Amino acid sequence: MGRRWVFLIGLVGAVWLLGSGHGGQQPPVTAAQRCFCQVSGYLDDCTCDVETIDRFNNYRLFPRLQKLLESDYFRYYKVNLKRPCPFWNDISQCGRRDCAVRPCQSRYTGYKGPDAWKIWNVIYEENCFKPQTIKRPLSPLASGQGKSEENTFYSWLEGLCVEKRAFYRLISGLHASINVHLSARYLLQETWLEKKWGHNITEFQQRFDGILTEGEGPRRLKNLYFLYLIELRALSKVVPFFERPDFQLFTGNKVHDAEKKMLLLEILHEIKSFPLHFDENSFFAGDKKEANKLKEDFRLHFRNISRIMDCVGCFKCRLWGKLQIQGLGTALKILFSEKLIANMPESGPSYEFHLTRQEIVSLFNAFGRISTSVKELENFRNLLQNIH
């Protein structure tokens, strides 16, 4: 009888081990799981979860937002692409024809490698409140890094005030969004007759796979979602400005302009209905003098990053970089102007709070890029699902 019980207990234990993955060979992990398994549930510093964002963006917001951005109003953005780089002289111009600025074209430009890393390194090292002694994980310009450097970096980051930590995450999220676009609209093949564009799975994995990036990839994707929530919150706050009868999406076609304004307001009210908006009340909530100084630091850092974009050798990348930086800066301007927005007159000029056409165009186009990135993540999840 005792032996029989021992046999049964051993059998049950073996079945449990096999079923739970503790015994023998572990079940295979897909490439999708390596990129996205940590990008789920609630985001740091937020009460929102990734799954809610995906459903809201991909099925309720994305199609209408893309239709809005087709309007001529949102296609005009004035920027000086001939300003010299103020930081170094050895700027190498991108020789590819895809780097040139041509209206209404979007595709991967081929601008990457050491020149692109130089730009991002200056942005991170000199504009994210980071001391030189703290090394970023996987920085190609810092050799010999290990797990201890990674732990040191994230210990430093978590020790920052919520505003400075958010600033780093916003820049990281913007960087991740650009890399998602690069991977989703990649020049896969070029012949004399045609170019073939599409999703480059290998490129995406190199940038976001949890194993290939030593855990950095999923963190980058979480920061992309954090950026999405910040810009989404700003759009929900600025609804009264666009509801005013004095505001028009003027292109010269009255019927078209009225239709697009109606679509704009539909989108903004849809955004306002999002159930788990980011709560920005924790920002700049301390000493008023210190808060004002920090706001000024934010403004100066964004201005400096925009100037760094003058060092980008690819003109199309420079254009989109400046637009997205101004769009993010405009979103933060809105979040910090809640009382001014609430006190706007219902009609007539608004002197205390106003958005220029340049700010409006950059705000919506920047959010359009982030929204597209979130949509593309769903595509990459599906493409990677059966890859090990």
Side-chain angles (χ1 to χ4, degrees):
M1 185 69 178
R3 290 182 179 178
R4 184 178 298 173
W5 277 109
V6 170
F7 171 76
L8 288 173
I9 292 171
L11 180 63
V12 171
V15 170
W16 178 83
L17 284 170
L18 289 172
S20 61
H22 287 78
Q25 185 176 359
Q26 293 287 336
V29 177
T30 66
Q33 289 173 315
R34 291 200 302 272
C35 290
F36 295 106
C37 67
Q38 298 176 43
V39 190
S40 62
Y42 289 95
L43 295 168
D44 300 335
D45 296 328
C46 303
T47 58
C48 186
D49 61 279
V50 168
E51 293 76 14
T52 299
I53 297 174
D54 285 337
R55 289 193 299 270
F56 179 79
N57 179 76
N58 299 347
Y59 303 107
R60 293 173 60 182
L61 194 61
F62 178 79
R64 282 185 288 176
L65 182 60
Q66 297 307 305
K67 184 178 180 181
L68 176 70
L69 294 177
E70 293 173 359
S71 167
D72 290 341
Y73 182 92
F74 292 101
R75 292 188 175 190
Y76 178 80
Y77 181 74
K78 186 178 180 181
V79 60
N80 182 3
L81 296 176
K82 295 182 179 180
R83 290 184 61 182
C85 172
F87 299 103
W88 57 81
N89 296 321
D90 61 334
I91 176 171
S92 56
Q93 298 292 336
C94 173
R96 294 178 60 91
R97 62 187 178 189
D98 297 315
C99 289
V101 173
R102 290 186 301 229
C104 307
Q105 297 290 325
S106 60
R107 57 190 179 280
Y108 171 53
T109 62
Y111 184 75
K112 63 175 185 176
D115 290 332
W117 263 112
K118 189 175 183 179
I119 299 294
W120 282 110
N121 190 67
V122 173
I123 291 174
Y124 281 118
E125 295 298 320
E126 300 180 13
N127 295 278
C128 286
F129 304 97
K130 188 182 77 61
Q132 295 292 327
T133 54
I134 302 294
K135 303 300 181 184
R136 288 182 296 117
L138 299 183
S139 171
L141 303 182
S143 59
Q145 294 191 101
K147 207 69 178 175
S148 60
E149 284 79 5
E150 176 187 329
N151 293 336
T152 300
F153 175 82
Y154 284 106
S155 296
W156 163 80
L157 187 64
E158 290 304 314
L160 289 178
C161 65
V162 65
E163 295 89 353
K164 291 182 178 180
R165 187 165 65 243
F167 189 96
Y168 171 82
R169 295 185 66 194
L170 291 173
I171 298 302
S172 173
L174 177 59
H175 194 181
S177 175
I178 291 171
N179 283 333
V180 170
H181 276 270
L182 184 152
S183 304
R185 291 172 173 80
Y186 202 93
L187 181 57
L188 301 175
Q189 185 179 356
E190 183 175 12
T191 66
W192 287 104
L193 298 176
E194 64 175 352
K195 294 179 180 180
K196 183 180 179 182
W197 304 88
H199 294 82
N200 189 322
I201 296 175
T202 301
E203 188 76 26
F204 184 86
Q205 288 178 286
Q206 289 175 348
R207 296 171 185 273
F208 299 110
D209 186 286
I211 294 177
L212 296 178
T213 63
E214 301 176 17
E216 280 301 297
R219 287 191 179 104
R220 295 167 181 169
L221 293 180
K222 279 192 171 185
N223 290 339
L224 167 58
Y225 280 103
F226 179 75
L227 171 62
Y228 181 92
L229 285 177
I230 290 292
E231 296 198 1
L232 190 77
R233 180 59 166 168
L235 289 169
S236 75
K237 289 281 189 178
V238 80
V239 174
F241 175 83
F242 293 105
E243 285 181 325
R244 300 166 76 244
D246 291 349
F247 174 78
Q248 298 295 328
L249 295 172
F250 182 76
T251 64
N253 185 327
K254 290 185 177 181
V255 175
H256 174 84
D257 295 346
E259 290 175 351
K260 291 302 179 183
K261 181 175 181 180
M262 186 178 299
L263 176 60
L264 171 68
L265 293 178
E266 287 177 5
I267 291 172
L268 290 176
H269 283 286
E270 185 74 60
I271 289 173
K272 199 170 183 179
S273 72
F274 182 69
L276 295 171
H277 271 296
F278 178 81
D279 182 6
E280 74 282 2
N281 289 324
S282 60
F283 284 177
F284 308 107
D287 179 74
K288 190 172 183 179
K289 184 177 180 180
E290 185 65 27
N292 289 334
K293 181 181 181 302
L294 199 52
K295 287 181 182 179
E296 180 64 11
D297 287 343
F298 268 47
R299 190 186 67 82
L300 293 175
H301 282 203
F302 272 105
R303 181 183 178 186
N304 203 44
I305 292 173
S306 182
R307 295 182 65 204
I308 292 171
M309 291 299 167
D310 289 323
C311 301
V312 175
C314 162
F315 286 123
K316 186 178 293 182
C317 307
R318 186 184 300 185
L319 171 65
W320 276 108
K322 281 183 168 291
L323 183 145
Q324 290 182 87
I325 289 296
Q326 184 176 16
L328 177 53
T330 303
L332 293 177
K333 170 185 173 178
I334 293 167
L335 289 181
F336 303 154
S337 304
E338 184 175 12
K339 291 182 179 179
L340 299 180
I341 294 173
N343 293 329
M344 283 191 308
E346 293 184 3
S347 61
S350 173
Y351 296 107
E352 292 192 348
F353 179 83
H354 182 71
L355 293 179
T356 66
R357 176 169 181 167
Q358 191 88 338
E359 289 174 317
I360 295 168
V361 171
S362 65
L363 174 68
F364 280 92
N365 274 286
F367 183 68
R369 301 290 278 190
I370 306 304
S371 173
T372 301
S373 295
V374 172
K375 176 65 176 175
E376 289 293 356
L377 291 183
E378 180 182 53
N379 296 330
F380 276 111
R381 278 191 187 96
N382 295 332
L383 290 169
L384 293 168
Q385 199 63 50
N386 297 318
I387 298 177
H388 296 284

